[in-house]
Amino acid sequence: MLYWHEAALLYIINYLVTVGGVDPSCGCVVFQSYGLSHGHFYSPNYPNFYQSNFDCILYTFIGDVNEIVEIKFLNMDLEQQRTARGHECKDYIRIYSNTDRGEVNEDSRYDEEICGSLASMEEKKFYSSGRALVLEFHIGANSSEKRHTGFKGVFSFLEKSAFKTDGLLQYGTQCSYNIQSMNNHTKGNFYSPRYPQKYPRSSHCQYMFMGQETETVKVTFNLIRLPKPNHCGDYIRVYDGSNSSGKLLKQFCDHTFNNEVVLSTSPYLYIEFKSDDDKEKEGFSAEYTFLDNRWEENNPSPTSNDGSSERVTGPIIMDKCNKNFVSQPNHKGGVINSPNTGRSYQSGIICQYEFEASGQERIQLKITKLDLHYSAGDPNDPYGCENQDSLTVFVYIDSKEVELGEFCGRKFPPQLMSPGPRMKVIFKSESTPKDNNSGFELAYSFRTDYGVEGNGQQDERHVCTFQFHSALHSQGFFTSPNYGGHYPRNTECHYIFYGKKNERVVVEFSHFDVDGIIPRCDTKTDSDYVSFSNFLNSVDRAMPRYCGSRPAYEPIKSDAAFFRVTFESNDQYDANGFKANFEFVRDEDETDRYKTPSPSPWITQNPPNSVPAQSVSRFNFAIIALVFVLQSVIFS
């Protein structure tokens, strides 16, 4: 669906191109915030080929006073040519990201120049330093017909204050901060200079964390982007102490890191960021928390000046049950019990449990006991958890905290898994009296196998990839990640089958429940799906996509000895997943039972965007449509 401003953009661009109204100083299309948070922009005639009958167009994005601009390219196909020095742009986009008024002329200096394909682009996101950003789409001098589709992107207007470091800038410096724990300031964020833009060359910044006597410091680097190869010319170093003479806890000088956690052993932590005079990247985005390690064993009520007890009206945060579980070589799982194990848990408390996996590990949670006080009806079939004792599970998607589920009463939730290396559980006990409720028991584990069951061997070189060899198992089964519970969000898994000569692979689902909208099963409908291919790294147009929930399925068969099954989930919803059986069969042993399924209302015969629109003529499209109709009649 096109919004009005997107439709207006396409109309303006096509009008300029059609009437030849673009003069040498460029035509201009303006996107201004005025409360608009995001939208799309396109090259003329997208997704068809752009024409060569205009010179250039300026796309100008102007935010409100306290906003910056983010643009992200989703598709890119601009003409370039090979020269003795490499590839040279014939058509290109120049990005002016440091113009506060959104005005450029022939003397303006651009910050980036891009062309070619999306895969060849090192960066796909760009940010302005102020409220404006300008793109110059330039068509090279070439009278021949263009055979390139141009570009598509999304833009967003972001609050500039969202990228402000929470600390006191040291006098006489540009990027060094003192960050101190105070009563109302125990957590916050800090960033590399100019973030989310690229940091400047020859930067040297220090971040000094100073906690109270009973505190330690926890820092989570949500994102780190440094040049590669780097050889530690640009680096981040974290020291356990008040300066660089402390123990070096962590050093980052490689390309990319996400969700890296560092903990101090004292109230002080010192971080040094330094860049050389060569390449520059985005730097880092991080958050910090001062953790209070105090604990009063019996948790007495506060007393007033006359010695009498004061009534506590709100929940008490109990530090003893606020714990961080970090994956270690000798620690890959355990069990957590509610406070007062063996007795009824206390009223009016909050406990927080955080889990930090390492590398490509995922966190799997299984609630093995749940007996929480529930006053709103039947605890074995609770209707909503509002104002009730509860366990709430949170995961992190694109560095944002997302609630995965809230559970109460005595109804056991499904087994859960994180989409990344972090997870959090909060136990909340309301101030109401308890009915001898025993609380909960929670089993957790750090897993590299994604909870995938079956006869496959995990390929340690790739994330969530499993291989099945006919020489080892002629038949067997495989499952979606975390099978037996809900599969994790934002997850992609591959199941690769290698048969012997003259063998084919047959896959049949015994259980299938993958969230999606039939028959599309694509990203445009926010569907999770299972797809199939006879190729290792490319989409197979002849194979279907499966989604939805069905009790039975026709088996699906490969064309040769190699086959690939792919499971992909997005960040929207989750479901129970699937269990599938596989068998390697020889060609002469095949029966009609193993025919590739015909098109049906719940299968996408051609995945979206698999064939460019311009590559199929109307005549060919008509022939294909006729074949589909005949095929449907025959198989019906």
Side-chain angles (χ1 to χ4, degrees), residues 401-559:
E401 190 174 273
V402 177
E403 181 180 316
L404 196 59
E406 185 179 28
F407 313 106
C408 54
R410 296 174 184 162
K411 187 175 181 179
F412 281 76
Q415 183 174 274
L416 302 172
M417 179 170 281
S418 67
R422 298 175 61 200
M423 204 174 204
K424 181 170 74 175
V425 177
I426 293 181
F427 169 58
K428 182 182 68 173
S429 169
E430 298 289 340
S431 299
T432 53
K434 311 304 171 190
D435 298 328
N436 295 318
N437 300 97
S438 58
F440 67 87
E441 184 177 85
L442 172 66
Y444 67 92
S445 59
F446 302 104
R447 305 191 62 159
T448 57
D449 63 358
Y450 288 70
V452 172
E453 300 176 6
N455 304 100
Q457 294 181 320
Q458 187 169 9
D459 185 347
E460 296 180 355
R461 300 169 300 174
H462 304 284
V463 178
C464 199
T465 298
F466 297 84
Q467 297 181 351
F468 301 81
H469 294 267
S470 172
L472 297 177
H473 299 280
S474 61
Q475 59 184 5
F477 75 98
F478 61 98
T479 69
S480 54
N482 196 43
Y483 188 72
H486 285 172
Y487 55 74
R489 302 179 187 182
N490 263 15
T491 299
E492 182 177 314
C493 291
H494 299 277
Y495 309 85
I496 313 296
F497 296 85
Y498 298 94
K500 300 174 184 176
K501 187 177 180 180
N502 297 327
E503 284 187 333
R504 298 192 184 189
V505 186
V506 179
V507 174
E508 184 173 10
F509 291 93
S510 58
H511 173 253
F512 195 93
D513 178 24
V514 175
D515 181 77
I517 296 179
I518 302 169
R520 293 289 297 276
C521 299
D522 62 10
T523 55
K524 291 184 178 179
T525 56
D526 290 329
S527 295
D528 305 329
Y529 58 83
V530 176
S531 63
F532 310 90
S533 179
N534 289 291
F535 312 105
L536 180 60
N537 295 314
S538 60
V539 173
D540 193 334
R541 302 188 189 104
M543 303 301 286
R545 280 185 178 180
Y546 288 178
C547 70
S549 180
R550 296 280 171 171
Y553 302 89
E554 295 182 35
I556 189 166
K557 182 189 65 179
S558 68
D559 290 344

Side-chain angles (χ1 to χ4, degrees), residues 75-146:
N75 287 304
M76 177 72 66
D77 178 24
L78 299 182
E79 185 177 4
Q80 60 179 189
Q81 64 181 5
R82 186 184 297 274
T83 66
R85 294 176 296 178
H87 287 94
E88 183 177 293
C89 296
K90 297 191 68 175
D91 304 335
Y92 56 80
I93 296 174
R94 285 178 174 171
I95 302 174
Y96 301 84
S97 54
N98 293 297
T99 169
D100 193 57
R101 295 170 58 89
E103 298 175 354
V104 295
N105 54 44
E106 62 274 11
D107 298 322
S108 299
R109 179 181 176 183
Y110 61 87
D111 300 286
E112 305 278 350
E113 182 177 283
I114 55 178
C115 66
S117 66
L118 192 70
S120 66
M121 292 172 56
E122 187 175 352
E123 304 288 346
K124 298 174 178 63
K125 279 186 181 181
F126 300 89
Y127 297 87
S128 65
S129 59
R131 61 182 297 195
L133 184 145
V134 177
L135 303 181
E136 176 192 350
F137 178 33
H138 186 83
I139 307 298
N142 187 353
S143 60
S144 62
E145 183 180 358
K146 295 291 183 181

Side-chain angles (χ1 to χ4, degrees), residues 166-180:
D166 298 317
L168 180 63
L169 182 65
Q170 295 177 13
Y171 180 76
T173 70
Q174 293 184 337
C175 58
S176 293
Y177 291 85
N178 292 330
I179 302 173
Q180 191 169 357

Side-chain angles (χ1 to χ4, degrees), residues 20-37:
V22 178
D23 60 26
S25 62
C26 293
C28 187
V29 181
V30 178
F31 297 90
Q32 196 146 1
S33 180
Y34 294 134
L36 174 68
S37 60

Side-chain angles (χ1 to χ4, degrees), residues 611-627:
V611 183
Q614 65 275 12
S615 67
V616 181
S617 67
R618 293 183 179 181
F619 176 77
N620 288 338
F621 183 83
I623 294 298
I624 293 172
L626 179 61
V627 171

